[in-house]
Every structure is written in C-alpha cells, then in structure tokens.
Amino acid sequence: MHRRWLLSALALLMSIVLAACTTATTQQSQIKVTNPTETINANSQQLPTGSVKRVVALSSLSADIISRLNSTKIVGITGSKLFKNDSKFKDIPRVSEGQSPPNLEKIVALKPDLVIGAEGFSNIPIQKLQQLGINTFLTKVNNWESLEELTKTLAKSIDADPLPLLNRYKTFLPEKPTQGFSTLALVSRQPILAPNKNSWAGDLLAKFQAKNIAADLQGKSPIGGYVTLSAEKVLEANPEVIILVNPPQGNSEAALLDSLKKEAFWQQLQATKNNRVYVFDYFGLVNPGSIDAIEKACQQLKQVLFAA
C-alpha cells in the first residue's frame, strides 16, 4: 500500500509540475500567448474579435468553456476522462488520448483557425502549430479571476456572450462567506506538499475564507504555487480541517487514509481527532479541469468549511 501511495503521489506531482514547469508563479491573473518572451494581462486583446469559427482545444477547461459559449465553434478536443460520458462532446474528434501528445496531423486536418492549449501542458505542440501558420493561444488559470478573464477573452474571439457563464460561476461561491477553519490541503504525503495562495487550489480556499496554513508560505519547491511542509510544521499549525487530494489516476479513499494513519504525527492533529478529514478529486481543486469539476469542488468546500 505504501508503494501504491508513493506512485500515486508521484503521478500527482508530475501533473502539477507539467502545469507549472514553464513559467514562474505569479499572483496576477494572466494568459500567456505563444511568444514565450511575452506575457500579457488577460484584459489585453490578443485574439481576433468575433472572427474565430473553428477551434481545437488541447485543454479540457478551454474545450468546456468554448462548448458552453457556442458549441458549433469547437471542432476538436483533448481526450480527457472528464468528457467520457458527456453527450455534448460525443461526436467531436479527439486529437489526443491519455498521456500521449496531440496528433498534429489530426489537428491540421480539422482546419482550425485557433488552437488553444494550457501553459505547461501544450507548449511544444502549440509552438509546432504556430510554425505551420495556425493561430494559437496558451492559457494559464491559477486563480478565480483568470478563469473569468479567460472566459471573456474566448467569448470575444468567437463572438459569444460570456455573461451567462460568468453568472453561473458566481453561484459556485458562497453568498456570505464567514471566517472558516484552519485548513491543510494535502496533495502529496511524501513530501508533504500543500498549495499556497499562488495556486488555483490556494485561491479557491481563500474564496471560501479557509485559513489555509500554507497560504503565505514560500519554499524551494520547483512546483509553482506549492510548498513542502515538515511534519513538525503541520503539528505546529494543527489544522482543524484536512483536505486530501485523490490523484488523477484515482485511488480509494480508504487507501489514502490508511496510509496516512501510519504517520506518527497523524493521530495528534485536531482534524484527525475530530474526524474532519475529507477527500477531494484532483480535477476541480488542483486542476480546474472543467466547469462541472469546479462546481463540484465548490459544493464540497461549502459542506466542509461551513459545517457547524
């Protein structure tokens, strides 16, 4: 079981590394275009307004946003498990499956006038497509504001109204947030890795007024937006709530909890003593993934952080 946990943790770490390896962490809401030396504010106009007709999305989140804004504009998507049982994506060609890189020939054959990728995941194929003369766009969503700005930017590019989707986002957040519990979000056990305020997960916790014990910490972790913690630091903070993240490939909740119970410090934490340890999916909390995944994570946070 220890080996299974370690493999799962490594897989999760690699997923986060891929999302963060190409740029330094930033506290600002940004979208990065394909020129690696140029970072722009999301409010800047970089895409042709209203002229995009055929979009291939290499990130599940961008595919979902485009589809909800105007489903006729999306002509190719990444093969994400998030869309496996989603009828609206049933007949849309997949240009990649699993961990395999996107098939450039399939993308070109779809004759897109825009290909959207996620920074860190899609840089290499995006650069190759740009060399072929295809318009490309790299996105980075590491806080709530960047999600809203991305939605507005994509809506302008395909001549769609972003307001219905933006209004839906608002329903995910608490109407009257109250001061929450001290919280540790644990995305890996070895090392103990937690999101600070510069990550999607950290920003989401802040939206729910959680007292994220790692929010203001900085460290030497190569993963932007995440810090490593010692067992002593966790004991010192002694969080009231602990959130465990299920790796992308999945693992049973029982396996996650059983492996942690073997740690000497685990039973000393008030969250453990009060049975306030919860398991969240990777998509929604660590990687936004899709609109439905974000909504599910927010619903769970309401239940966990606003509980009596």
Side-chain angles (χ1 to χ4, degrees):
M1 184 173 296
H2 174 80
R3 178 178 175 79
R4 288 199 300 270
W5 169 269
L6 181 58
L7 291 174
S8 297
L10 288 173
L12 179 58
L13 282 168
M14 286 304 297
S15 298
I16 301 172
V17 168
L18 284 172
C21 63
T22 56
T23 58
T25 303
T26 175
Q27 294 184 34
Q28 297 179 344
S29 168
Q30 292 180 329
I31 296 173
K32 188 161 185 172
V33 292
T34 49
N35 181 349
T37 64
E38 180 184 7
T39 300
I40 62 167
N41 187 279
N43 291 320
S44 301
Q45 296 299 310
Q46 293 294 315
L47 294 178
T49 301
S51 64
V52 176
K53 306 297 181 184
R54 298 177 62 82
V55 179
V56 171
L58 303 183
S59 84
S60 57
L61 180 60
S62 294
D64 200 20
I65 291 174
I66 290 288
S67 178
R68 292 173 188 274
L69 290 171
N70 186 334
S71 61
T72 67
K73 300 295 180 74
I74 191 83
V75 298
I77 62 173
T78 182
S80 172
K81 73 173 188 177
L82 293 171
F83 301 149
K84 186 176 181 180
N85 299 314
D86 194 328
S87 60
K88 69 176 179 288
F89 293 107
K90 180 181 179 182
D91 300 320
I92 299 178
R94 268 61 171 169
V95 298
S96 67
E97 291 293 343
Q99 299 299 318
S100 61
N103 187 312
L104 297 183
E105 290 183 359
K106 284 185 177 181
I107 295 174
V108 173
L110 292 170
K111 299 180 179 180
D113 46 24
L114 177 64
V115 178
I116 306 170
E119 185 178 299
F121 287 93
S122 315
N123 293 59
I124 293 177
I126 284 292
Q127 289 173 2
K128 292 180 178 179
L129 291 166
Q130 188 181 31
Q131 292 170 0
L132 294 174
I134 297 175
N135 289 327
T136 62
F137 198 55
L138 276 176
T139 68
K140 181 177 181 180
V141 177
N142 62 351
N143 57 42
W144 196 267
E145 288 69 30
S146 60
L147 170 65
E148 294 176 329
E149 292 302 327
L150 174 60
T151 301
K152 294 175 185 177
T153 299
L154 296 182
K156 287 181 181 179
S157 72
I158 63 172
D159 194 23
D161 181 7
L163 286 179
L165 198 49
L166 293 172
N167 287 334
R168 185 184 172 191
Y169 296 163
K170 292 178 182 178
T171 67
F172 299 168
L173 299 176
E175 294 181 5
K176 296 180 180 180
T178 56
Q179 192 63 36
F181 300 98
S182 61
T183 303
L184 169 65
L186 186 60
V187 302
S188 169
R189 177 188 134 203
Q190 294 181 341
I192 300 174
L193 195 68
N196 64 19
K197 62 184 179 182
N198 297 326
S199 65
W200 169 261
D203 186 70
L204 200 57
L205 289 173
K207 289 289 187 290
F208 285 81
Q209 299 297 307
K211 300 175 185 176
N212 178 11
I213 68 172
D216 296 314
L217 298 179
Q218 301 295 329
K220 298 180 180 179
S221 171
I223 305 169
Y226 289 81
V227 294
T228 54
L229 302 175
S230 64
E232 291 75 19
K233 182 66 177 179
V234 175
L235 276 170
E236 179 185 345
N238 198 13
E240 298 170 276
V241 171
I242 295 177
I243 293 173
L244 303 179
V245 176
N246 222 357
Q249 74 274 19
N251 204 346
S252 72
E253 182 174 333
L256 289 172
L257 294 173
D258 286 346
S259 63
L260 282 165
K261 288 177 181 178
K262 297 177 181 179
E263 297 289 345
F265 71 90
W266 186 250
Q267 298 300 333
Q268 302 178 51
L269 301 174
Q270 58 177 326
T272 306
K273 294 177 180 179
N274 296 328
N275 197 30
R276 301 215 61 187
V277 179
Y278 307 90
V279 178
F280 278 56
D281 192 71
Y282 166 81
F283 291 106
L285 186 66
V286 174
N287 181 332
S290 71
I291 305 306
D292 286 345
I294 294 171
E295 182 177 27
K296 180 180 178 181
C298 289
Q299 289 174 342
Q300 286 183 280
L301 286 172
K302 288 179 182 178
Q303 296 171 356
V304 168
L305 298 174
F306 292 170

